[in-house]
Amino acid sequence: MADRRVVVTGIGVLSAIGNGRDGFLAGLREGRSGAGPVTAFDTTGFGYGQTCEVADFADDELSEYGRATRMGAAAAGMAVRDAGLTPGMLCGVTGLVAVGTTEGDARDVDDLAATEVAKGLADLDPLPARRARFSRMPTAIADELGLADVELITLPDVCAAGTYAIGYGLDAIRSGDVDYALCGGADAICHRTFAAFYRMGALSRDVCRPFDRDRTGVVFGEGAAMLVLESLDSALARNAVIHAELLDYNLNCDAFHPTRPVKESVAECMRGALANSAVAPGEIDLIMAHGTGTPTNDPMESAAFAEVFAGGEIPPVSALKSMIGHTMGAASVHSCIAAMLAVEHGFLPPTINHRTLDPDCPVDCVPNEARAGEPRTVLVNALGFGGANAAVVLRRYQGVSQ
């Protein structure tokens, strides 16, 4: 069933610039910044650092699940409702829940470590210890939505994890293994990762400025982004609204350096996604970049774009992390959703906080303000620690004879 077409019929999103499809769309159009002072933990001892936190999502310390998992479940519920589905409609059919994450519920690990240091092992609370397991993320979604006969998988492929989840779901539907897939990612702000990036010198001293000459690093974000995937035949049979068609994806791993991607490998991954999708470089109207705003990533990614689009013009490039921060395992799915909303509503999402063009990053990053446009086909790029590269191509759905 390699030619079975796969479409997105449901979108669920929690982010620092807006929740739900409409809230996120409004934040994108406005070019809103989600950056602000850290409230998730005590920042005493850190000289600088902001985060992009999800403000309108209440913590529940007594919940069976941690913050990241609960955000993933909330986004999955939004996606199912957006798709016009109910849990009852999903009974009797085979499904998949695939969640990508970098840290899972690491905030609970932070709390356990703090308790051990202050009071010793005897006072550790078993509840956060249970919540800290990555594998509970898809289980929580299935439990919250009352899903049965579903495959559950967690993909901890760091910053590219969301694309891995999307690819897994796309393959499962194409092969006929499942009738629908809930795919995406979720991560929450945690102390240990913030501290690690601070020690590496990778955190921005103010805001995230992708492709800007004066960029100083990444800003951490949090949130969740989930999609409902199904075959085109299934979507048409139930007269569903189709947000976009997923054409194909590609993965590779250069395994060269823990944190420094290799330009040639990144370019090869994007070329593979285009080839798998039967899309020529000249057909791409928009690139959603990984765009971390670090001194190393942005020139490397710009050079990779130049290789992929050699002999032609590099399409406009949008870096969503300038608005919502780096949402880790959810980052590439947030970018996919931004791309889908762009093709549905006719605009190019901006890269905010841009002040000075960097000659080492010669791309049109749609600086500071959203731009009117009619993007049809979008390439979404994602890069993970350890050289895990991922790219996906999606397109506006225009009918069976497309």
Side-chain angles (χ1 to χ4, degrees):
M1 299 183 182
D3 60 345
R4 174 180 278 188
R5 294 168 67 179
V6 178
V7 296
V8 177
T9 55
I11 290 173
V13 59
L14 291 169
S15 80
I17 63 169
N19 296 335
R21 179 162 53 86
D22 293 341
F24 190 57
L25 172 61
L28 289 174
R29 284 189 178 279
E30 181 184 321
R32 190 178 302 160
S33 173
V38 181
T39 66
F41 50 84
D42 183 5
T43 58
T44 301
F46 294 104
Y48 58 88
Q50 296 195 86
T51 54
C52 294
E53 299 179 26
V54 177
D56 299 324
F57 190 80
D59 275 313
D60 182 358
E61 294 183 359
L62 300 180
S63 170
E64 181 182 354
Y65 300 110
R67 180 176 174 84
T69 298
R70 288 186 288 108
M71 286 195 292
M78 291 177 188
V80 168
R81 291 189 295 274
D82 184 55
L85 296 169
T86 64
M89 294 169 66
L90 299 178
C91 291
V93 296
T94 304
L96 163 71
V97 179
V99 183
T101 191
T102 296
E103 291 284 11
D105 280 307
R107 190 178 294 187
D108 289 310
V109 179
D110 289 344
D111 293 341
L112 289 167
T115 300
E116 181 182 355
V117 169
K119 300 180 180 180
L121 289 171
D123 286 310
L124 292 186
D125 184 347
L127 176 59
R130 289 197 303 271
R131 296 194 311 201
R133 290 181 297 166
F134 282 20
S135 59
R136 289 169 63 83
M137 302 187 84
T139 301
I141 291 172
D143 286 347
E144 289 292 313
L145 297 177
L147 303 178
D149 196 16
V150 289
E151 177 186 354
L152 307 175
I153 182 168
T154 305
L155 294 152
D157 297 283
V158 287
C159 312
T163 302
Y164 277 67
I166 290 172
Y168 195 95
L170 190 152
D171 287 343
I173 292 172
R174 277 192 178 153
S175 67
D177 289 343
V178 300
D179 298 300
Y180 71 93
L182 264 169
C183 303
D187 264 298
I189 298 291
C190 67
H191 194 172
R192 69 174 186 175
T193 306
F194 183 94
F197 273 68
Y198 183 89
R199 291 291 297 272
M200 287 191 293
L203 285 187
S204 172
R205 292 182 174 274
D206 47 21
V207 294
C208 182
R209 303 180 188 280
F211 306 111
D212 188 274
R213 185 195 64 188
D214 301 318
R215 64 192 181 279
T216 58
V218 71
V219 169
F220 270 115
E222 67 174 358
M226 297 294 296
L227 305 174
V228 173
L229 276 53
E230 59 185 298
S231 71
L232 175 60
D233 290 342
S234 169
L236 293 176
R238 63 184 193 87
N239 199 31
V241 173
I242 295 173
H243 295 300
E245 179 173 4
L246 291 178
L247 299 185
D248 221 314
Y249 72 103
N250 194 41
L251 313 172
N252 69 12
C253 183
D254 50 60
F256 170 74
H257 188 275
T259 62
R260 190 167 68 244
V262 176
K263 176 194 69 174
E264 292 77 11
S265 185
V266 172
E268 179 186 355
C269 186
M270 289 188 282
R271 280 195 294 262
L274 294 172
N276 293 344
S277 303
V279 169
E283 296 179 73
I284 296 297
D285 304 305
L286 172 67
I287 301 171
M288 296 300 300
H290 189 61
T292 57
T294 56
T296 301
N297 177 88
D298 296 0
M300 178 282 305
E301 196 172 11
S302 298
F305 296 150
E307 282 200 11
V308 173
F309 295 91
E313 186 176 349
I314 299 174
V317 174
S318 177
L320 186 60
K321 293 178 181 65
S322 63
M323 288 184 269
I324 67 171
H326 194 334
T327 56
M328 310 302 283
S332 58
V333 192
H334 276 125
S335 288
C336 283
I337 292 175
M340 293 175 201
L341 294 173
V343 302
E344 273 194 285
H345 296 276
F347 73 103
L348 305 181
T351 301
I352 67 170
N353 307 319
H354 196 273
R355 299 184 301 195
T356 307
L357 181 66
D358 186 344
D360 292 331
C361 303
V363 297
D364 170 12
C365 68
V366 194
N368 300 317
E369 295 183 357
R371 184 185 303 164
E374 293 296 332
R376 179 172 180 262
T377 308
V378 185
L379 172 65
V380 181
N381 202 33
L383 313 175
F385 279 3
N389 307 311
V392 63
V393 180
L394 59 89
R395 175 173 283 171
R396 180 192 308 143
Y397 173 69
Q398 292 183 311
V400 174
S401 62
Q402 179 177 348

